[in-house]
Amino acid sequence: MHDIDINTRVELANETINTTATPGQAGKVAIIGSFPNFDDGVYSFTTLRKLRNHYGIVAGTESEYNFDGARSARRIFMEGINGYKGATEVVTVNIRDSDDAESNGSTLPTSLTVNTITEDEADSGDCDYDIRTLSDTNGGGTLTMDKLIKALTKLSGENIDILFIASDLNGAVVKGSVEMSDLIAKILDFLDTEFTVQRPTNLILPIRCADEIDTGQDTAGIVSEIINVDDAIEIANQFAENENCLNAIGLYYQGGTLMGEDVDYIEVAAHMCGFTASINVSQSLTYQTIPGLTAIDEEAFFGEHDAGYILNSAGVMVLTPKSRKDNTFCVKNDTQGNGWNANHIRSVSYLLKQYNLVNGLGINNYQANREAFKAQLTATNNQVLSSVDVIQEVTIGDIEVRSPYRIYVPVEISLVGVISIITMGVNMTLIDESAEV
């Protein structure tokens, strides 16, 4: 017998499936930048809401707009961009300190009580002061060499995928007795060290070398009015000439308009960081429509003598119109100064992390164990090859015993190219259909 329920009614059951954008690969991003308090610890966030709550950021107010780290976090999480999740995780290091507040005349309290104020309280007036005034007027904090070294040291061991520096490097040059090349060298030291210990980290860096812009530009072409091309090339060359090829995947210098808001080059670079983190490592950025970007503050040109061509050839990512009708923009070519595409660098970095080589530490060094270790690496190759199509083949060579305590594992990675030129051969034939008389 069936149980009988005589109470007639209509029942609704919530069976909604919440769908989210598929996250990309290698989407853990570290931000070095300024946030609206003095907490200089290292923190991890999986949502923008959690990050804002921690630092006392109220969306759309000066507590966000006046701090480079806060504004960049919003873009790296791709807020408001449908179909793109942005970073899967964001790790932050705040460079702002009390000296910045004093020099900029900030009204921000030295305590972290700002974190307890909610957006609703700010809107309703149920707080002792207006949260919209709790900020500096000069980007919230100036980067210095000491701050950069301290922040990079704190990030050591974090196993991040992308490093984003949400600060104007020129500030450190002006404020301290350092050269730009010294700052880049410190960043490269960090990237090289992380690579050595099997934590390849790829850098996305906003650059704007604005001093003596006309110096060294080729006046035979269309020059840039916002960046010193010689200085930008010098920065790009430091990354290109470094022994570790898995370093920079994006040097950006253009500002623009995102979702109707005019933003500077740091925020556009952060947006590109979020876009990069959203997609799989094998996806090239070349000629891909950039979601949410509707204007750029300088349109570069690509004749042989033009600034855009010179910058892009050196490895600086140049944004350019894709469709004027649709008002869309793209990366002209994501080839880096060392000749590798950004997706090549991301893909190989991803593969090396998947090996989890620490599993080979501590095992006894005899042939059976070495063969088992090689088999484990081969299995990882097969898994990665199934999802990263830019990697065509990976070959693990014979493991070489260099001492009772050291082995050498040769790995050969074959990558497919990224199409940036299509040449079509056209043969025209005239058909004579006239009838002979």
Side-chain angles (χ1 to χ4, degrees), residues 81-275:
I81 306 296
N82 293 329
Y84 295 89
K85 190 179 186 302
T88 54
E89 182 182 350
V90 167
V91 176
T92 58
V93 180
N94 186 9
I95 65 164
R96 185 175 183 270
D97 58 24
S98 57
D99 291 338
D100 292 314
E102 291 173 3
S103 64
N104 294 332
S106 172
T107 58
L108 184 66
T110 56
S111 69
L112 300 183
T113 55
V114 64
N115 291 346
T116 64
I117 300 174
T118 66
E119 188 170 353
D120 290 338
E121 289 172 333
D123 290 336
S124 65
D126 294 333
C127 56
D128 295 333
Y129 44 81
D130 185 0
I131 198 167
R132 291 166 179 79
T133 67
L134 302 182
S135 62
D136 295 334
T137 57
N138 190 26
T142 302
L143 185 69
T144 65
M145 175 65 91
D146 288 342
K147 288 181 180 180
L148 177 63
I149 293 173
K150 185 177 180 180
L152 291 173
T153 301
K154 288 182 176 182
L155 287 174
S156 297
E158 282 297 317
N159 197 18
I160 55 180
D161 299 308
I162 300 173
L163 172 64
F164 183 81
I165 299 180
S167 296
D168 182 359
L169 295 183
N170 296 289
V173 174
V174 172
K175 193 167 183 176
S177 301
V178 297
E179 300 292 334
M180 182 67 74
S181 58
D182 298 328
L183 295 168
I184 301 301
K186 288 299 179 184
I187 297 171
L188 277 169
D189 285 345
F190 171 81
L191 299 176
D192 291 346
T193 299
E194 293 301 290
F195 172 77
T196 301
V197 293
Q198 207 212 335
R199 291 191 297 266
T201 302
N202 308 141
L203 175 73
I204 294 179
L205 181 69
I207 60 172
R208 181 64 70 92
C209 319
D211 291 339
E212 301 178 350
I213 290 174
D214 293 336
T215 302
Q217 295 213 51
D218 191 339
T219 55
I222 301 175
V223 302
S224 171
E225 297 181 356
I226 64 175
I227 193 169
N228 183 313
V229 171
D230 275 358
D231 288 348
I233 290 174
E234 187 174 337
I235 291 173
N237 284 345
Q238 275 191 262
F239 293 104
E241 295 166 2
N242 194 58
E243 184 177 354
N244 168 24
C245 293
L246 306 180
N247 48 54
I249 57 170
L251 308 178
Y252 293 94
Y253 77 98
Q254 293 154 293
T257 303
L258 291 170
M259 304 292 287
E261 299 178 45
D262 293 333
V263 299
D264 66 7
Y265 72 106
I266 294 178
E267 208 160 337
V268 168
H271 181 75
M272 293 306 300
C273 180
F275 181 34

